[in-house]
Amino acid sequence: DIQMTQSPSSLSASVGDRVTITCRASQSISNSLNWYQQKPGKAPKLLIYGASSLQSGVPSRFSGSGSGTDFTLTISSLQREDFATYYCQQSYSIPFTFGPGTKVDIK
Amino acid sequence: QVQLQQSGPGLVKPSQTLSLTCAISGDSVSSNSADWNWIRQSPSRGLEWLGRTYYRSKWYNDYAVSVKGRIILNADTSNNQFSLQLKSVTPEDAAVYYCAGYSTSARWFDPWGQGTLVTVSS
């Protein structure tokens, strides 16, 4: 199975801050990497697919980059509605696996 | 727009079978370009993919090793839905269970069901 790790596990930031979250795969997954945002009591919501493509309707302050084993999710200017937990997920091979999550909360 | 609606009990006794159903609107469970998945989430295990059922001229299932032998996924074409059965549950199976669609061209999980919190207790 492909193991996914994320760092940091949590961070505190202020509105307007630039935030970067890192995801690493235990083996190369090309660009088969998706990012989700989850708020309490809700299902995860797709933000980025194929490592760097923005899902329709997602604000352009979200961006993704990387390929192979190392990926990043960047929020260019954090907004109040962005406080949530973020997960990466590999779609390279079965079993699909998720990172442990990065919780972004208010400083 | 594809939507998924989950149903099923939120309380299951230890050693019994957890059964959940996911009704699909806006797509077909027999689609040749979509897979239908179950994913669970717990504080101890995080987001864990459990398995998928899909139709490519015939029905296929894939299961996570962690639940293989206890899990059965079925598709119900008459009602355009798919289901999860997890046998011999223990408290470790307590989690929020989600169904999710996966397009083979898009390769991401979307949409998701609303989630079902399953408690395992006598």
Side-chain angles (χ1 to χ4, degrees), chain B residues 96-112:
Chain B
V96 177
Y97 285 75
Y98 294 101
C99 59
Y102 182 94
S103 161
T104 52
S105 58
R107 300 181 67 204
W108 61 77
F109 293 113
D110 183 72
W112 295 64

Side-chain angles (χ1 to χ4, degrees), chain B residues 81-102:
Chain B
Q81 61 188 26
F82 61 107
S83 63
L84 163 71
Q85 288 186 292
L86 186 64
K87 302 177 181 179
S88 305
V89 298
T90 72
E92 282 208 348
D93 294 310
V96 177
Y97 285 75
Y98 294 101
C99 59
Y102 182 94

Side-chain angles (χ1 to χ4, degrees), chain B residues 44-65:
Chain B
S44 58
R45 302 171 80 102
L47 284 161
E48 180 184 16
W49 176 84
L50 299 177
R52 65 178 178 177
T53 188
Y54 58 101
Y55 185 76
R56 303 290 186 270
S57 303
K58 68 175 187 176
W59 288 100
Y60 294 88
N61 292 317
D62 292 310
Y63 299 130
V65 169

